[in-house]
Amino acid sequence: MATSNDIKNGTVLRIDGQLWTIIEFQHVKPGKGGAFVRTKMKNVLSGKVVDKTFNAGIKVETANVDRRDFQYLYMDGSDFVFMDNDTYDQIHIQAETVGDAKDYMLEGMSVMVASNEGTPLYVELPASVVLEITYTEPGLQGDRSTGGTKPATLETGKEIQVPLFLEQGTKVKVDTRDGSYLGRVND
Protein backbone atom coordinates (compact mmCIF):
# COMPACT_ATOMS: atom_id res chain seq x y z
CA MET A 1 0.00 0.00 0.00
CA ALA A 2 1.07 3.56 -0.71
CA THR A 3 -0.58 6.96 -0.50
CA SER A 4 -1.81 9.09 -3.38
CA ASN A 5 1.19 11.37 -2.73
CA ASP A 6 3.52 8.56 -3.91
CA ILE A 7 1.95 8.37 -7.38
CA LYS A 8 4.41 8.88 -10.24
CA ASN A 9 4.44 8.18 -13.99
CA GLY A 10 4.72 4.44 -14.59
CA THR A 11 3.29 3.46 -11.19
CA VAL A 12 0.90 0.51 -11.49
CA LEU A 13 -2.16 0.58 -9.23
CA ARG A 14 -4.67 -2.17 -8.49
CA ILE A 15 -8.17 -0.64 -8.51
CA ASP A 16 -11.26 -2.87 -8.27
CA GLY A 17 -9.18 -5.92 -9.19
CA GLN A 18 -7.79 -4.37 -12.37
CA LEU A 19 -4.29 -3.06 -13.06
CA TRP A 20 -3.88 0.57 -14.15
CA THR A 21 -0.64 2.30 -15.05
CA ILE A 22 -0.21 6.05 -14.47
CA ILE A 23 0.45 7.93 -17.71
CA GLU A 24 0.28 11.47 -16.28
CA PHE A 25 -0.19 12.89 -12.81
CA GLN A 26 -0.47 16.33 -11.25
CA HIS A 27 -0.47 17.24 -7.57
CA VAL A 28 -2.94 20.11 -7.09
CA LYS A 29 -3.18 22.32 -3.99
CA PRO A 30 -6.03 24.78 -4.52
CA GLY A 31 -6.29 27.92 -2.43
CA LYS A 32 -9.47 26.63 -0.86
CA GLY A 33 -10.11 23.02 0.16
CA GLY A 34 -7.84 20.00 0.36
CA ALA A 35 -5.08 18.98 -1.99
CA PHE A 36 -5.63 16.22 -4.54
CA VAL A 37 -3.85 14.26 -7.26
CA ARG A 38 -5.25 14.37 -10.81
CA THR A 39 -4.18 11.37 -12.91
CA LYS A 40 -4.57 9.92 -16.37
CA MET A 41 -4.48 6.11 -16.14
CA LYS A 42 -4.32 3.36 -18.75
CA ASN A 43 -5.78 -0.10 -18.14
CA VAL A 44 -2.85 -2.51 -18.53
CA LEU A 45 -4.90 -5.25 -20.19
CA SER A 46 -7.52 -3.40 -22.28
CA GLY A 47 -5.59 -0.20 -23.04
CA LYS A 48 -8.54 1.99 -22.00
CA VAL A 49 -7.46 5.45 -20.78
CA VAL A 50 -9.41 7.24 -18.02
CA ASP A 51 -8.99 10.32 -15.83
CA LYS A 52 -9.22 9.81 -12.07
CA THR A 53 -8.75 12.15 -9.14
CA PHE A 54 -7.49 11.00 -5.74
CA ASN A 55 -7.69 13.04 -2.53
CA ALA A 56 -4.25 13.75 -1.08
CA GLY A 57 -2.98 11.19 1.40
CA ILE A 58 -5.52 8.41 0.75
CA LYS A 59 -4.26 4.82 0.57
CA VAL A 60 -3.90 3.27 -2.88
CA GLU A 61 -2.90 -0.31 -3.64
CA THR A 62 0.18 -0.57 -5.83
CA ALA A 63 0.87 -3.67 -7.90
CA ASN A 64 4.29 -5.20 -8.28
CA VAL A 65 5.11 -5.34 -11.99
CA ASP A 66 8.20 -7.34 -12.92
CA ARG A 67 9.84 -6.10 -16.14
CA ARG A 68 12.44 -8.44 -17.58
CA ASP A 69 14.39 -8.83 -20.79
CA PHE A 70 13.19 -11.64 -23.02
CA GLN A 71 14.12 -12.81 -26.49
CA TYR A 72 11.37 -13.47 -29.02
CA LEU A 73 11.94 -16.99 -30.36
CA TYR A 74 9.07 -18.06 -32.62
CA MET A 75 5.32 -18.33 -33.06
CA ASP A 76 3.60 -21.51 -31.88
CA GLY A 77 0.06 -21.61 -33.25
CA SER A 78 -1.52 -18.37 -32.03
CA ASP A 79 0.97 -17.99 -29.14
CA PHE A 80 4.31 -16.22 -29.18
CA VAL A 81 7.23 -17.98 -27.48
CA PHE A 82 9.76 -15.89 -25.54
CA MET A 83 12.91 -16.90 -23.64
CA ASP A 84 14.06 -15.27 -20.41
CA ASN A 85 17.60 -13.97 -21.05
CA ASP A 86 18.66 -14.75 -17.45
CA THR A 87 17.15 -18.16 -16.71
CA TYR A 88 16.60 -19.44 -20.29
CA ASP A 89 13.02 -20.40 -19.33
CA GLN A 90 10.56 -20.26 -22.22
CA ILE A 91 7.10 -18.77 -21.85
CA HIS A 92 4.11 -18.71 -24.20
CA ILE A 93 2.25 -15.39 -24.49
CA GLN A 94 -1.12 -15.09 -26.23
CA ALA A 95 -1.47 -12.90 -29.32
CA GLU A 96 -3.95 -10.60 -27.51
CA THR A 97 -1.32 -9.83 -24.85
CA VAL A 98 1.40 -9.17 -27.45
CA GLY A 99 -0.97 -6.83 -29.32
CA ASP A 100 0.45 -4.51 -31.97
CA ALA A 101 4.02 -5.36 -30.96
CA LYS A 102 3.77 -8.37 -33.30
CA ASP A 103 3.96 -5.99 -36.28
CA TYR A 104 7.56 -5.11 -35.41
CA MET A 105 8.98 -8.31 -33.87
CA LEU A 106 11.50 -10.52 -35.65
CA GLU A 107 12.78 -13.84 -34.33
CA GLY A 108 15.76 -13.28 -32.04
CA MET A 109 14.74 -9.71 -31.10
CA SER A 110 15.14 -8.58 -27.48
CA VAL A 111 11.97 -7.19 -25.87
CA MET A 112 10.77 -6.25 -22.38
CA VAL A 113 7.98 -8.39 -20.93
CA ALA A 114 6.05 -6.95 -17.98
CA SER A 115 4.33 -9.44 -15.70
CA ASN A 116 2.36 -9.38 -12.47
CA GLU A 117 2.36 -12.46 -10.24
CA GLY A 118 3.63 -14.59 -13.14
CA THR A 119 0.97 -13.40 -15.61
CA PRO A 120 2.36 -11.56 -18.66
CA LEU A 121 0.70 -8.15 -19.01
CA TYR A 122 2.26 -6.63 -22.12
CA VAL A 123 5.30 -6.72 -24.39
CA GLU A 124 7.35 -3.53 -24.68
CA LEU A 125 9.53 -2.98 -27.75
CA PRO A 126 12.51 -0.68 -28.23
CA ALA A 127 11.50 2.81 -29.45
CA SER A 128 12.62 1.93 -32.99
CA VAL A 129 13.51 -1.18 -34.97
CA VAL A 130 15.27 -1.85 -38.27
CA LEU A 131 13.21 -3.85 -40.77
CA GLU A 132 13.58 -4.69 -44.45
CA ILE A 133 11.06 -3.65 -47.10
CA THR A 134 9.81 -6.84 -48.79
CA TYR A 135 7.45 -5.18 -51.27
CA THR A 136 6.85 -1.70 -52.60
CA GLU A 137 5.94 -0.24 -55.97
CA PRO A 138 8.90 1.20 -57.86
CA GLY A 139 9.26 4.98 -57.61
CA LEU A 140 8.63 6.92 -60.81
CA GLN A 141 11.44 8.94 -62.36
CA GLY A 142 10.97 12.59 -61.48
CA ASP A 143 9.05 11.86 -58.27
CA ARG A 144 12.18 11.81 -56.14
CA SER A 145 12.10 15.41 -54.93
CA THR A 146 8.38 15.91 -54.33
CA GLY A 147 8.43 14.53 -50.77
CA GLY A 148 5.53 12.18 -51.47
CA THR A 149 5.07 8.78 -49.87
CA LYS A 150 3.97 5.33 -50.97
CA PRO A 151 2.95 2.16 -49.09
CA ALA A 152 5.64 -0.43 -48.37
CA THR A 153 5.29 -3.88 -46.79
CA LEU A 154 7.89 -4.78 -44.17
CA GLU A 155 9.32 -8.25 -43.51
CA THR A 156 6.90 -8.66 -40.57
CA GLY A 157 3.88 -8.02 -42.84
CA LYS A 158 3.23 -4.51 -41.47
CA GLU A 159 2.50 -1.84 -44.09
CA ILE A 160 3.88 1.67 -43.56
CA GLN A 161 4.29 4.84 -45.64
CA VAL A 162 7.81 5.49 -46.99
CA PRO A 163 9.36 8.10 -49.33
CA LEU A 164 8.98 7.43 -53.06
CA PHE A 165 12.71 6.78 -53.68
CA LEU A 166 12.90 3.67 -51.44
CA GLU A 167 13.04 0.29 -53.16
CA GLN A 168 12.37 -3.33 -52.27
CA GLY A 169 15.17 -4.82 -50.13
CA THR A 170 16.03 -1.51 -48.42
CA LYS A 171 16.40 -1.59 -44.62
CA VAL A 172 14.49 1.17 -42.83
CA LYS A 173 14.21 2.38 -39.24
CA VAL A 174 10.61 2.36 -37.99
CA ASP A 175 9.12 3.99 -34.85
CA THR A 176 7.36 1.19 -32.91
CA ARG A 177 4.98 3.60 -31.15
CA ASP A 178 3.18 4.89 -34.26
CA GLY A 179 4.63 2.92 -37.20
CA SER A 180 6.22 5.96 -38.83
CA TYR A 181 9.25 5.83 -41.11
CA LEU A 182 12.34 7.28 -39.39
CA GLY A 183 15.02 6.82 -42.04
CA ARG A 184 16.99 4.52 -44.27
CA VAL A 185 19.66 2.26 -42.73
CA ASN A 186 22.85 1.56 -44.64
CA ASP A 187 24.61 -1.71 -43.88
Side-chain angles (χ1 to χ4, degrees), residues 28-178:
V28 180
K29 179 139 178 48
K32 214 176 203 182
F36 57 91
V37 180
R38 186 178 295 136
T39 64
K40 184 177 280 188
M41 304 186 312
K42 179 179 177 184
N43 188 305
V44 172
L45 298 177
S46 71
K48 179 180 172 185
V49 176
V50 298
D51 294 324
K52 184 161 176 67
T53 302
F54 297 96
N55 290 329
I58 68 160
K59 299 274 188 208
V60 290
E61 185 180 353
T62 57
N64 185 18
V65 175
D66 184 25
R67 295 170 45 136
R68 301 178 69 169
D69 286 322
F70 279 77
Q71 182 179 14
Y72 170 53
L73 297 178
Y74 58 91
M75 202 163 169
D76 182 21
S78 64
D79 291 352
F80 291 83
V81 180
F82 294 87
M83 179 182 70
D84 188 323
N85 288 342
D86 297 330
T87 64
Y88 304 112
D89 290 338
Q90 292 184 10
I91 61 169
H92 290 252
I93 300 179
Q94 296 177 344
E96 299 83 43
T97 305
V98 174
D100 292 338
K102 71 180 180 312
D103 294 335
Y104 307 102
M105 288 190 326
L106 290 176
E107 292 180 359
M109 178 183 277
S110 289
V111 298
M112 184 79 67
V113 175
S115 59
N116 173 257
E117 297 172 1
T119 305
L121 301 173
Y122 58 88
V123 174
E124 191 175 301
L125 297 172
S128 64
V129 293
V130 175
L131 298 170
E132 186 175 321
I133 296 174
T134 56
Y135 177 78
T136 187
E137 295 290 331
L140 299 173
Q141 191 65 28
D143 279 351
R144 300 190 190 290
S145 64
T146 60
T149 61
K150 63 181 178 180
T153 304
L154 302 173
E155 58 188 308
T156 60
K158 173 78 172 166
E159 189 173 284
I160 65 167
Q161 293 293 319
V162 298
L164 293 169
F165 61 85
L166 290 180
E167 298 172 355
Q168 193 167 311
T170 305
K171 289 189 183 272
V172 293
K173 194 174 202 177
V174 181
D175 189 324
T176 59
R177 295 167 296 209
D178 60 8

Side-chain angles (χ1 to χ4, degrees), residues 4-12 21-25 27:
S4 59
N5 299 334
D6 299 328
I7 291 176
K8 294 178 179 41
N9 288 347
T11 303
V12 179
T21 185
I22 303 296
I23 300 170
E24 294 176 18
F25 75 99
H27 290 279

